[in-house]
Amino acid sequence: MRVGSLRQLTLGSFILALVPLIALLWQSQSDLAKVSRMTTAETRFVVTAVGIMQQLEGAAIDLERTLRQYAIIQNTTVADLTDNAIAQFASARQDLCDIIDNSENCQQLVKQIEQLRNFRTINDQLLLNAYLASLSNGVIAMRKDVDASIQARLAIQREDMTSMQAKQAWSTAMLVSVSLLLILLGSQLIVKPVNKLKQIIQILAHQRGELPPLSTKAPFELIGVEKDLHWLSERLQQLEHIRTALLRHAAHELKTPLASIKEGCSLLSENVVGELNPQQAEVLSLLSSSTQRLNTLVEKLLDYNLLLQQAEPKFTSIDPAELVRDCVEDYALALQDREVTVDVRVESVSVDEELYRRILDNLVSNAVAHGAIGRPISVNIYEQDGVAVLDVANRGKKIPPEKVGKLFEPFTRGDDPRNDNVIGTGLGLSIVSDCARLMCGDVAVVEVDYADVCFRVSIPQKEKRK
């Protein structure tokens, strides 16, 4: 199935979802019209039956009156009135029997009418009273038949209404379900490619895995966005290859002459080419120091390149005390030279040991380089609300708030001079930020009451990362 534009898909899904509702509305109108016709017919029947019944009762009263008058005054005028009354009664009976089916009392009334047609020959008053009583009972029986017929038709109408309501309920449930299914289908045609776009973005953001193939059954606009993301992925891969190649070649080219310089400095320091005077020894010392610093800068550059390609971190429970102790030992000479002590308070946490060591190295190095001489450095590791917290704090000049946001960007250096008079690379805090991000954490500059500058690294523990 080919899918058009997003607008066409939205409008088509909306119209398609309306079809069952339109069918339901049509059926409701049809049932309502049927109920209206049924109600009209039943009302007409009731009104007609009751009206004819009243006419029959009135004709029966008139007939009884004329018959009794003829029994007293036997003349032609009264006889004609009696014949007319009998004819009206017979006509009302016929009309009533036409609308009432299978009434046995109709035949009884016919016999009673035939008996009364011979009223001229009835001379016995008791016989006339018996005929009139029988006629009255027949009229009463006809009224009961009319009432029974009305009740029967009302019962049929109630059954039809109940059946119609059940049918309407089932139709409503079925058509609404179909409408919901169509809505879900239409939304799925939109949500599925959108979720695929989110998947592609996640892959690009975390730089892991291959991109799924281009969609063929999606709105044109979303396919266009997907093509742009694939192009962006190819472009990022090209840039990544260029960056990796540049760093690799730069490191190689730098390390080759650097090794020669270090070897030359080593030969000079060992007096292989002759004894050096104090001025030459001082120059050689500066040269060796600069060479060592250049080697450190190259290693950090390569270290940053490897960090950007770091795989999924492996969280294990580590001994922070040993990790901090190893880190502090690496800076023992610098700490002794600046008369700085390190206060350590740690608890067991679950982190990636290699990434956590990089964080410690860079934060301690930053504290040594920018902390006040003779003032202690604090290293605290503890767990709080399911988060492993690392605080590295030092005394010294506070960081202006407007500069905090840019501290963790690559190749960004502070304006204040370092205590070791060495120009930094601006990668240390960026490496800290990237290591924390790889462990689903973050780093920030926080205010504490026991130091002037405090960097806090928060790493969620296993429950928080799920």
Side-chain angles (χ1 to χ4, degrees):
M1 180 182 66
R2 293 185 61 84
V3 180
S5 66
L6 189 59
R7 176 179 297 178
Q8 292 174 348
L9 179 59
T10 304
L11 292 177
S13 300
F14 180 74
I15 294 174
L16 192 61
L18 283 180
V19 171
L21 299 180
I22 294 174
L24 178 61
L25 180 61
W26 176 82
Q27 182 180 355
S28 299
Q29 292 296 328
S30 177
D31 291 343
L32 184 61
K34 183 178 180 181
V35 170
S36 178
R37 291 192 299 269
M38 186 187 304
T39 303
T40 301
E42 296 303 323
T43 303
R44 185 182 296 113
F45 171 79
V46 172
V47 171
T48 303
V50 171
I52 297 175
M53 188 65 214
Q54 290 177 349
Q55 292 177 6
L56 183 66
E57 291 175 340
I61 294 173
D62 292 341
L63 178 59
E64 182 179 358
R65 184 176 66 252
T66 56
L67 284 172
R68 291 188 183 280
Q69 288 177 354
Y70 181 80
I72 297 172
I73 306 173
Q74 295 183 0
N75 57 25
T76 305
T77 302
V78 177
D80 292 338
L81 290 175
T82 302
D83 289 333
N84 185 40
I86 292 174
Q88 290 181 356
F89 183 83
S91 176
R93 183 210 65 83
Q94 184 62 43
D95 293 339
L96 188 60
C97 290
D98 287 342
I99 63 174
I100 298 178
D101 299 329
N102 302 323
S103 176
E104 296 180 356
N105 294 309
C106 285
Q107 300 301 323
Q108 294 296 329
L109 283 178
V110 171
K111 295 178 180 179
Q112 293 167 1
I113 291 172
E114 292 300 325
Q115 291 174 351
L116 293 176
R117 287 185 187 277
N118 300 319
F119 66 92
R120 291 179 177 85
T121 61
I122 300 175
N123 296 318
D124 188 355
Q125 186 67 31
L126 293 178
L127 182 60
L128 178 61
N129 290 337
Y131 284 164
L132 291 176
S134 177
L135 180 66
S136 178
N137 292 333
V139 171
I140 293 174
M142 285 299 298
R143 171 169 285 279
K144 292 181 180 179
D145 287 346
V146 169
D147 292 340
S149 179
I150 292 174
Q151 293 299 324
R153 293 178 71 96
L154 290 177
I156 294 174
Q157 186 178 12
R158 283 194 296 268
E159 291 178 359
D160 291 343
M161 291 291 294
T162 303
S163 175
M164 194 177 300
Q165 289 177 350
K167 178 183 176 182
Q168 186 71 19
W170 280 107
S171 300
T172 301
M174 182 182 67
L175 293 176
V176 169
S177 301
V178 171
S179 182
L180 289 176
L181 288 176
L182 292 175
I183 292 173
L184 291 176
L185 177 61
S187 62
Q188 186 65 20
L189 292 176
I190 299 176
V191 171
K192 186 176 180 180
V194 171
N195 288 336
K196 187 176 182 181
L197 292 178
K198 290 175 62 177
Q199 179 187 1
I200 293 175
I201 292 174
Q202 290 294 327
I203 293 175
L204 291 177
H206 295 91
Q207 296 182 359
R208 65 169 70 99
E210 295 183 359
L211 297 183
L214 285 172
S215 300
T216 56
K217 298 179 180 179
F220 296 152
E221 295 87 346
L222 299 183
I223 292 179
V225 175
E226 191 174 342
K227 289 180 179 178
D228 292 341
L229 290 176
H230 276 262
W231 174 84
L232 179 60
S233 174
E234 294 176 358
R235 183 59 178 166
L236 289 175
Q237 290 179 359
Q238 293 175 359
L239 294 176
E240 178 66 19
H241 292 325
I242 294 174
R243 183 183 61 81
T244 303
L246 177 62
L247 290 174
R248 184 172 61 250
H249 291 306
H252 176 75
E253 296 298 329
L254 288 173
K255 278 186 169 292
T256 300
L258 185 61
S260 300
I261 296 174
K262 290 178 64 177
E263 184 65 23
C265 291
S266 177
L267 293 175
L268 290 175
S269 63
E270 294 174 0
N271 296 322
V272 174
V273 295
E275 191 72 22
L276 301 178
N277 57 41
Q279 291 81 5
Q280 292 173 336
E282 183 178 359
V283 172
L284 180 61
S285 176
L286 293 174
L287 183 61
S288 299
S289 176
S290 299
T291 303
Q292 183 62 35
R293 182 58 185 169
L294 180 59
N295 185 71
T296 302
L297 295 179
V298 172
E299 290 178 353
K300 282 193 173 184
L301 191 61
L302 291 174
D303 187 59
Y304 184 69
N305 182 46
L306 292 175
L307 176 64
L308 294 179
Q309 304 175 25
Q310 173 72 31
E312 186 74 19
K314 297 180 181 179
F315 288 84
T316 57
S317 182
I318 64 169
D319 181 9
E322 182 178 355
L323 202 66
V324 174
R325 182 171 60 252
D326 294 341
C327 179
V328 171
E329 287 179 357
D330 292 341
Y331 296 94
L333 294 178
L335 293 172
Q336 292 177 4
D337 183 58
R338 294 168 179 76
E339 300 178 355
V340 175
T341 59
V342 180
D343 297 333
V344 179
R345 288 181 294 177
V346 297
E347 298 177 4
S348 179
V349 293
S350 177
V351 292
D352 184 291
E353 185 172 0
E354 181 180 355
L355 295 176
Y356 212 65
R357 175 57 191 270
R358 291 183 182 180
I359 292 174
L360 274 172
D361 283 340
N362 286 280
L363 289 181
V364 172
S365 172
N366 187 75
V368 172
H370 296 281
I373 297 177
R375 304 295 301 276
I377 297 173
S378 300
V379 178
N380 298 328
I381 300 177
Y382 57 94
E383 183 175 342
Q384 184 177 20
D385 298 331
V387 177
V389 180
L390 164 63
D391 288 345
V392 178
N394 61 271
R395 283 72 174 175
K397 188 176 181 180
K398 290 190 175 182
I399 302 174
E402 62 273 10
K403 295 183 178 180
V404 171
K406 296 184 178 180
L407 281 178
F408 304 103
E409 297 179 2
F411 307 104
T412 299
R413 297 189 298 267
D415 298 330
D416 299 329
R418 295 166 59 97
N419 293 328
D420 52 7
N421 295 322
V422 176
I423 299 176
T425 61
L427 290 175
L429 294 179
S430 176
I431 292 176
V432 171
S433 177
D434 289 335
C435 288
R437 175 180 52 80
L438 288 172
M439 291 187 287
C440 304
D442 56 27
V443 59
V445 179
V446 298
E447 295 285 341
V448 292
D449 55 1
Y450 57 86
D452 298 315
V453 178
C454 179
F455 288 90
R456 175 168 293 172
V457 179
S458 302
I459 308 297
Q461 296 301 275
K462 186 176 182 179
E463 294 79 6
K464 295 289 184 179
R465 294 192 299 271
K466 287 185 177 180

